[in-house]
Amino acid sequence: MAERRRGAALEQALLDAAWAELTEHGYAGFTMDAVVKRAGTSPPVLYRRWPDRDALARAAIAHVLERARLEVPDTGSLREDVLALLRAINATRVELVALMSVQLAGYQRATGTAPAELLAAGGPDGTEAIFERAVARGEARPEKLSPRIRALPFDLLRQELLTTHAPVPDDVLAEIVDTVFLPLVR
């Protein structure tokens, strides 16, 4: 007889099952019943934690993003920190970015919440430290670091990933940092 899962192990199994359902069937085909079946549990176990599929989808996305969190570089240079983070995202997130944009389009239609908003709602992503260090070193002017400008290199990378569904060449990453981003913050 299999040991009964409880607590964090049970929650992880439920969120893993939910993510698997989202990736295989998209939000349109995402059901609480399918998650229950995949996780090998009962509906009350799932509904005690998440009242509906929207809440479960948000929790599954947050769970995957937390597991995939990258370490924020500290190279001693704004250029190198941003470039290192772009390279890490580029090397590890192509599939995740494509999957979230394609499979979760139905989520946006149904809830009005874009998957990108879920990324932002996940809490601080650590890039704040990059910008604080850059200001302290005199590499960036704080009044130039609006939220949109801070997000710009990452938004441009995401756009490249969404249009190509492939890793972005390193010279393009350098161009994003050197030609577009850095002139805006100095």
Side-chain angles (χ1 to χ4, degrees):
M1 183 172 174
E3 187 176 322
R4 187 171 174 188
R5 298 168 297 187
R6 296 183 188 276
L10 175 59
E11 188 161 312
Q12 181 167 333
L14 294 168
L15 292 171
D16 288 344
W19 181 250
E21 285 295 318
L22 280 169
T23 59
E24 286 181 26
H25 306 290
Y27 186 75
F30 181 69
T31 66
M32 299 290 270
D33 288 339
V35 174
V36 164
K37 184 176 179 181
R38 184 180 287 262
T41 191
S42 66
V45 168
L46 190 63
Y47 282 98
R48 268 195 301 271
R49 288 162 178 80
W50 300 283
D52 55 42
R53 75 183 194 137
D54 294 345
L56 179 56
R58 281 191 308 274
I61 293 164
H63 173 69
V64 167
L65 292 174
E66 182 57 37
R67 277 197 322 219
R69 191 172 295 276
L70 295 171
E71 192 167 320
V72 177
D74 184 1
T75 66
S77 146
L78 175 60
R79 178 189 189 275
E80 294 304 319
D81 284 353
V82 173
L83 198 51
L85 191 51
L86 289 176
R87 286 175 175 145
I89 293 166
N90 192 43
T92 62
R93 299 295 195 287
V94 174
E95 185 178 317
L96 183 61
V97 168
L99 184 69
M100 285 187 71
S101 67
V102 173
Q103 293 292 58
L104 296 180
Y107 177 84
Q108 183 171 358
R109 282 191 298 278
T111 66
T113 303
E117 291 176 48
L118 295 172
L119 295 172
D125 60 5
T127 59
E128 187 67 32
I130 289 175
F131 300 118
E132 288 173 3
R133 291 190 304 256
V135 168
R137 289 189 301 259
E139 294 179 282
R141 295 177 40 204
E143 68 274 10
K144 299 275 189 172
L145 288 170
S146 69
R148 186 173 307 279
I149 297 299
R150 290 172 190 244
L152 183 64
F154 309 102
D155 291 345
L156 291 173
L157 173 58
R158 183 175 54 245
Q159 182 60 32
E160 290 283 337
L161 293 174
L162 289 173
T163 57
T164 64
H165 298 284
V168 178
D170 200 65
D171 63 315
V172 173
L173 297 179
E175 182 182 20
I176 288 170
V177 173
D178 295 334
T179 306
V180 179
F181 175 67
L182 289 176
L184 294 173
V185 301
R186 291 186 172 147

